Amino acid sequence: MVAAAIPQFRPGGQPAHHLSEELLLAYATGGLSEAVALVAAAHLTLCPSCRAELARAQAIGGALVEATPPVAMQAGALDRLLARLDQPAPPAEERLTAGSRDRDIPGPLRAYLPADAENLPWRKVIAGLYEYKLDLPGHQGMASLLRIIPGKAMPQHTHRGHEMTLVLRGDFDDKTGHYGAGDLALTDDTVDHQPVAGAHADCIALAVTDAPLKLTGTFGRLLNPFIRF
Amino acid sequence: MDPTSPDTTRDLFADLVAAIAAGRDRAAFVKLFEHFAPRVKSYLMRLGCQAAEADELAQESLLAVWQKAATFDRRQSAVSTWLFTIARNKRIDAIRRARRPELDPEDPALVPATPEQADQILQAAQSARQLHTAIAGLPEDQRELLVLAFFQEKSHSDIAVATGLPLGTVKSRIRLAMQRLRAVIEER
């Protein structure tokens, strides 16, 4: 059982915590892993100012392609291609809709969810903290939706690599700041933190790490072998 | 450069795409192919594709231009920018079978841009030619690092290792280059 109803709205306003320049550039060039690209695409859906940055990065990428010294195509490439022009185009890419119809969950993420957030098979991690693991074959770290009941503190933890946490509903605080819907918290192994969910609603967040979490609090150490983030 | 001068390069390429959309214009396609295919191939080779694969993916990218010409919006993107993202996607799809999470402009969850932000996006789209000039005018050390970051998909720390430069220098040069180019976009 999940303790509190999930509010079906995302409070207005735009995110205050954004993709780093490096991540944005890597998204633009296609250099991110599937899991990290998922977080980036989901944040971009919720963040017009990062979309403006992306448009700039893509324009620069286009200009760099334009400026690159051309490499001659193989002999006959144009003729082979011209011969294919009259073949019917493949059907437009199907949008992956999966099972979630939540209109506030970014489309790139909905594609990974079998049901609405309310009906996901949440697994209890500890009292007040629930997890739904995304199916991301080959991903080394954690890639999950986390759901934290109001006022609940996550186990204190640090990371061996990087952690990206995108708030989808509700909000949380940790010593690095306040994070509401659309905000992206980026932490690395220098940050030992303990996010606490806001008092008024469940906090649902997409959390992706490139290495397993390392729990640091007393409670955390005790739980570590069981959590298997 | 006179910012009021007509952006003829962009217009020409966008006109060619429009001719394909309107009348399946093969001559227009040949012109686009001749200009862009060798550049897209070069870009893909810099990203690490072998020559034959880069050739194949460049052909697929141009085929996508033919097939999707009707969806191209010249106000939202320069043809070079469009091809940059098409080639990016073709390459991701070729190297991994995994899904490719992607921003969808039609997503019902999309948080709308303010008019000012929408303006910034249009400015970026319409600055292709000025950017081309500005990139040519960047100091060599900045341009090199920008190309590494864009074309070799190296993280800033990888670039630091590859070039022997301190990480701080790599970060600050890339930031300087990006700031200069951003200023070009914003001055439009």
Side-chain angles (χ1 to χ4, degrees), chain A residues 10 14 22 27-29 34 45 48 51 53 66 68-69 71-72 74 82 84-85 95 103 107 111-112, chain B residues 26 35 38-39 41-42 55 60 63 66 88 96 98-99 103-104 107 109 111 117 150 153 156 182:
Chain A
R10 206 175 55 76
Q14 295 193 1
E22 191 175 4
Y27 176 82
T29 60
E34 183 184 357
T45 304
R51 291 206 297 276
E53 285 294 331
E66 186 80 49
T68 198
V71 174
Q74 286 171 0
L82 285 172
R84 292 171 65 194
L85 294 188
R95 282 225 171 93
R103 293 179 66 83
Y112 289 82
Chain B
R26 296 171 85 94
H35 182 79
R39 289 176 168 80
K41 179 178 178 179
S42 170
D55 204 284
E60 293 299 322
L63 183 61
W66 174 264
R88 158 203 191 270
R96 69 166 191 239
R99 286 183 276 191
L103 174 67
D104 173 6
D107 192 334
V111 171
Q117 288 165 330
F150 261 90
E153 296 186 343
H156 292 177
R182 180 177 313 171

Side-chain angles (χ1 to χ4, degrees), chain A residues 10 13-15 21-22 25-35 37-39 41-42 44-90 93 95-96 98 102-108 110-113 135-137, chain B residues 9 13 24 26 29-30 33-43 45-47 51-52 54-56 58-60 62-63 66-68 80-81 84-85 88 91-92 96 98-104 106-114 117 120-121 123-125 127-128 131-132 135 143 146-147 149-151 153-157 171 174-175 178 181-182 185-186:
Chain A
R10 206 175 55 76
Q14 295 193 1
E21 226 168 80
E22 191 175 4
L25 204 61
Y27 176 82
T29 60
L32 295 176
S33 72
E34 183 184 357
L38 171 60
V39 179
L44 283 161
T45 304
L46 304 174
C47 185
S49 84
C50 282
R51 291 206 297 276
E53 285 294 331
L54 177 66
R56 292 187 193 111
Q58 287 171 331
I60 293 168
L64 283 168
V65 169
E66 186 80 49
T68 198
V71 174
M73 294 291 285
Q74 286 171 0
L78 176 58
D79 288 336
R80 283 198 298 280
L81 194 50
L82 285 172
R84 292 171 65 194
L85 294 188
D86 293 324
Q87 292 171 5
E93 278 169 51
R95 282 225 171 93
L96 293 164
D102 288 324
R103 293 179 66 83
D104 64 336
I105 302 290
R110 280 201 308 279
Y112 289 82
L113 304 179
D135 182 24
L136 278 150
Chain B
T9 311
F13 294 134
R24 316 302 286 159
R26 296 171 85 94
F29 180 77
V30 170
F33 180 94
E34 284 173 345
H35 182 79
F36 282 111
R39 289 176 168 80
V40 170
K41 179 178 178 179
S42 170
Y43 161 59
M45 286 174 69
R46 282 178 180 246
L47 285 175
D55 204 284
E56 179 67 29
Q59 289 184 49
E60 293 299 322
L62 268 295
L63 183 61
W66 174 264
Q67 290 168 340
K68 296 180 180 173
S80 60
T81 309
F84 168 74
T85 55
R88 158 203 191 270
R91 177 169 164 275
I92 297 176
R96 69 166 191 239
R99 286 183 276 191
R100 170 162 49 76
E102 195 172 17
L103 174 67
D104 173 6
E106 308 296 324
D107 192 334
L110 202 77
V111 171
T114 62
Q117 288 165 330
Q120 289 170 0
I121 292 171
Q123 273 179 334
S127 58
L131 278 173
H132 192 174
I135 285 168
R143 187 169 66 236
L146 195 66
V147 166
F150 261 90
F151 282 0
E153 296 186 343
K154 289 187 186 301
S155 72
H156 292 177
S157 9
K171 282 180 186 290
I174 292 176
R175 187 169 304 129
M178 292 294 283
L181 298 179
R182 180 177 313 171
I185 294 171
E186 283 166 358

Side-chain angles (χ1 to χ4, degrees), chain B residues 70-105:
Chain B
T71 68
F72 176 70
D73 180 350
R74 66 195 303 162
R75 291 165 306 155
Q76 296 292 331
S77 157
V79 176
S80 60
T81 309
W82 190 40
L83 261 163
F84 168 74
T85 55
I86 291 175
R88 158 203 191 270
N89 292 347
K90 294 283 175 203
R91 177 169 164 275
I92 297 176
D93 292 345
I95 59 177
R96 69 166 191 239
R97 287 174 196 284
R99 286 183 276 191
R100 170 162 49 76
E102 195 172 17
L103 174 67
D104 173 6

